[in-house]
Amino acid sequence: MLQRSSETQTAGGSSASEPLGGVKKHPGQNAEPRRLVVVSNRLGNIRDLSQAGGLAVGVADALADRGGLWLGASAEHRDTAAGDEPLIHLERLGRIETAALSLPREAYSLYYNGYANSTLWPLFHYRLDLVDHRSEFLHAYRHINARFAEALARLLTGKDDLIWIHDYHLIPLAAELRRLGIGNRIGFFLHIPFPPPDLFVATPDHEELIDDLLRYDVLGFQTETDLANFRRSVRATNSITFDINGTAEANGRTIVSRSFPIGIDVGAFARMAREASQDVQIDTMRRQILGLKQIIGVDRLDYSKGLPGRMQAFARLLERHPEHQRAATYLQIASPTREEVGAYAEIRAQLEATAGSVNGKYADLAWTPIRYIHRAVPRTRLAGLLRASQVGLVTPLRDGMNLVAKEFIAAQDPADPGVLVLSRFAGAAEELAEALIVNPYSIDDVADAIAKALTMPLEERVERHGALLTRISRNDAAEWCRSFLAALAGES
Ligand code: ADQ
């Protein structure tokens, strides 16, 4: 059943010709671009892009340019029999229409907490030890993808609509759409890493997953490493080989596979960082009076982000370089995430224990070595906190890209910038060579890099930051969208 909400269709007061806040037009685009249909597990908040991350801003930008539809699961699920017709709630804001799909509660949980986040997430982050493989997870994953496909088939306006599907939750969606006779061009972008074939084939479902991926027209990955892992996994699974241009013939279509590193809206983030809220300014002044430098980490509280090792590295810094005791403080902001999944409760307990033991060992009345905040922080405050920090610590054990690395660079004062310490296992490391690149499995390596960052001369900081800023400005969110959509439209 389709439900159109008349009050929300005009919410925000935008007329069809008004652009959304913060969304700009790109030069040189076709007068009549094809309608874009985006699908992701969750909908971004198009009413308030200042709160949105890179994906939502980039996607909303493209949607506002072309006009189009964004389909995602509704935050509200229903306690209904799995066979019931899905309920779709439509809203319009300017040229963007959103469709929120209400899904059966239990099947959604087995799909989201189960197959997506207990099977695929650990597998794709090289953590075979954490993979929980159950047939009911896979069954629900396929069922929910089929529901997405049925809903989407009803929302398409014709065979020219370009369909762009996002992330590991929705790998089988193209296969389900093809089953319903949809011949449109369909693209898929994987936001997380793709594992090497030796790990990938460890899932009993690897053949099905590859078959599903080969139903798309365009397959996009964050890095050249992920792209190579994917191509090798395809070859290992069913002998299809991608040629030098990244194309292969399968299922009667030419499939393009390429890397499209995701970026951020650099100008908008820098603006937010310059307009720091009053509490951030007061905190910064207090630290300046005390002569304290700030090291910052901002992450979802996920085991892939390497948080306990990062705290141990800070403790090692204090041990090996005691001159930083009472001279540096480490602020870790870790937002709660996927708390229904067991591995996430464990990582939380581990982190709290590590922060407690480091503070217990080193803290005194005037200095708390680690300040740990376990909640989401508004993006405006986050940007200000990043700007007020002398070191950005981004040390995931594995990460598709890691947007915080790019946000830290964008937030800095170019005349007196902080230093980024970046894991070689973050996708961002492929682009950001001027950061201090570290091995997050080596506590000593990370501790020494923090020491180097804290004492780096101004001239070197400015030089490294200038190169990094140029790179993230060139490969920003708009460029990511433009290049993917050009490939999807068959223009590049
Ligand atoms: P994530 O794993 O969520 O994204 P990341 O790229 O760092 O990782 O993006 C997180 C976003 O959430 C950033 O914009 C960050 O500022 C924000 N955020 C994190 N913690 C926060 C907090 N405590 N309060 C407020 N905001 C917070 C996935 C992949 C990544 C890939 C992105 C985009 O895992 O590898 O870079 O998608 O493709």
Side-chain angles (χ1 to χ4, degrees):
M1 186 188 145
L2 280 183
Q3 189 187 69
R4 257 175 221 275
S5 157
S6 56
E7 80 176 291
T8 49
Q9 269 186 69
T10 54
S14 298
S15 71
S17 58
E18 268 181 299
L20 281 164
V23 175
K24 56 189 182 296
K25 288 263 173 207
H26 301 295
Q29 286 196 312
N30 297 340
E32 294 276 341
R34 289 155 74 176
R35 181 175 181 251
L36 175 62
V37 176
V38 171
V39 191
S40 59
N41 176 55
R42 281 288 171 82
L43 289 169
N45 182 3
I46 56 168
R47 272 163 217 292
D48 187 2
L49 290 180
S50 67
Q51 294 305 313
L55 182 156
V57 172
V59 166
D61 196 355
L63 279 169
D65 264 356
R66 298 172 167 249
L69 175 78
W70 191 346
L71 170 68
S74 163
E76 281 150 36
H77 307 292
R78 289 175 307 144
D79 290 311
T80 50
D84 281 5
E85 202 183 347
L87 188 74
I88 305 167
H89 183 82
L90 293 169
E91 287 187 38
R92 175 171 285 284
L93 188 70
R95 301 185 66 199
I96 306 182
E97 190 162 36
T98 59
L101 176 61
S102 183
L103 292 155
R105 193 182 304 276
E106 199 188 334
Y108 183 84
S109 174
L110 291 168
Y111 144 90
Y112 181 77
N113 294 319
Y115 199 75
N117 287 315
S118 298
T119 309
L120 290 182
W121 178 273
L123 173 71
F124 280 41
H125 285 85
Y126 299 40
R127 292 297 301 270
L128 284 185
D129 56 320
L130 295 176
V131 171
D132 186 358
H133 200 276
R134 300 186 207 176
S135 57
E136 67 265 31
F137 288 172
L138 180 61
H139 182 75
Y141 183 65
R142 300 215 156 266
H143 174 74
I144 294 291
N145 270 272
R147 308 310 298 265
F148 264 99
E150 286 157 23
L152 186 58
R154 298 172 58 193
L155 293 164
L156 293 175
T157 54
K159 59 182 178 5
D160 272 351
D161 285 358
L162 293 174
I163 304 173
W164 187 6
I165 293 165
H166 291 264
D167 232 358
Y168 60 104
H169 315 86
L170 300 173
I171 290 172
L173 190 45
E176 295 294 344
L177 287 167
R178 303 291 184 218
R179 222 163 270 145
L180 297 175
I182 306 294
N184 295 44
R185 284 184 66 81
I186 312 179
F188 177 79
F189 184 78
L190 183 68
H191 289 259
I192 64 175
F194 198 97
D198 283 354
L199 299 182
F200 185 67
V201 299
T203 172
D205 318 320
H206 67 276
E207 286 176 5
E208 276 178 65
L209 289 169
I210 291 291
D211 279 353
D212 287 338
L213 285 166
L214 295 177
R215 299 285 160 173
Y216 288 91
D217 297 285
V218 177
L219 291 162
F221 300 88
Q222 297 274 26
T223 65
E224 291 298 318
T225 304
D226 301 319
L227 179 62
N229 285 343
F230 164 71
R231 290 182 185 162
R232 287 166 57 218
S233 296
V234 172
R235 209 164 44 232
T237 304
N238 67 5
S239 323
I240 288 178
T241 307
F242 283 85
D243 66 18
I244 194 151
N245 302 313
T247 61
E249 302 296 323
N251 300 311
R253 61 185 67 244
T254 303
I255 303 167
V256 175
S257 65
R258 273 181 36 199
S259 74
F260 301 88
I262 194 169
I264 63 167
D265 184 339
V266 176
F269 202 84
R271 253 190 318 279
M272 271 196 295
R274 284 194 297 267
E275 293 158 8
S277 56
Q278 214 180 13
D279 55 345
V280 174
Q281 287 179 25
I282 292 169
D283 188 55
T284 307
M285 269 160 45
R286 192 186 63 85
R287 275 192 302 103
Q288 279 166 352
I289 291 164
L290 294 171
L292 278 177
K293 288 188 173 171
Q294 180 162 273
I295 300 160
I296 192 167
V298 178
D299 310 76
R300 282 185 308 96
L301 182 39
D302 193 293
Y303 51 79
S304 65
K305 303 293 182 184
L307 292 168
R310 198 185 299 175
M311 282 193 181
Q312 282 158 13
F314 178 66
R316 188 69 53 87
L317 168 87
L318 301 177
E319 193 182 305
R320 281 161 65 119
H321 305 271
E323 67 276 17
H324 294 300
Q325 291 182 22
R326 281 170 221 87
T329 172
Y330 166 26
L331 172 64
Q332 177 62 55
I333 302 173
S335 49
T337 182
R338 305 173 196 164
E339 291 186 311
E340 295 84 356
V341 179
Y344 288 78
E346 275 169 39
I347 188 79
R348 179 180 173 183
Q350 200 183 348
L351 200 58
E352 284 171 2
T354 312
S357 85
V358 175
N359 280 341
K361 181 165 178 193
Y362 290 102
D364 60 26
L365 286 176
W367 174 56
T368 307
I370 299 179
R371 294 193 292 168
Y372 168 56
I373 298 176
H374 179 54
R375 61 177 175 273
V377 170
R379 285 183 74 68
T380 41
R381 184 174 306 160
L382 197 67
L385 286 168
L386 290 173
R387 187 178 176 94
S389 302
Q390 285 64 51
V391 180
L393 257 190
V394 179
T395 58
L397 304 176
R398 192 63 59 179
D399 216 329
M401 176 56 63
N402 196 296
L403 294 180
V404 176
K406 297 189 172 184
E407 291 167 352
F408 179 79
I409 297 163
Q412 298 308 302
D413 173 1
D416 184 13
V419 179
L420 178 64
V421 174
L422 179 61
S423 163
R424 57 183 293 181
F425 302 121
E430 226 170 64
E431 286 172 88
L432 305 180
E434 292 82 4
L436 296 183
I437 303 293
V438 294
N439 175 1
Y441 291 96
S442 165
I443 304 294
D444 285 347
D445 189 21
V446 179
D448 290 348
I450 301 172
K452 182 171 176 186
L454 284 168
T455 53
M456 189 180 284
L458 176 65
E459 199 183 334
E460 185 178 350
R461 282 190 278 128
V462 168
E463 202 174 308
R464 285 177 185 264
H465 176 260
L468 293 169
L469 188 61
T470 304
R471 195 113 9 83
I472 63 165
S473 304
R474 200 182 304 134
N475 297 339
D476 66 356
E479 173 56 22
W480 170 70
C481 247
R482 191 206 58 72
S483 55
F484 189 94
L485 291 177
L488 184 54
E491 293 160 5
S492 72

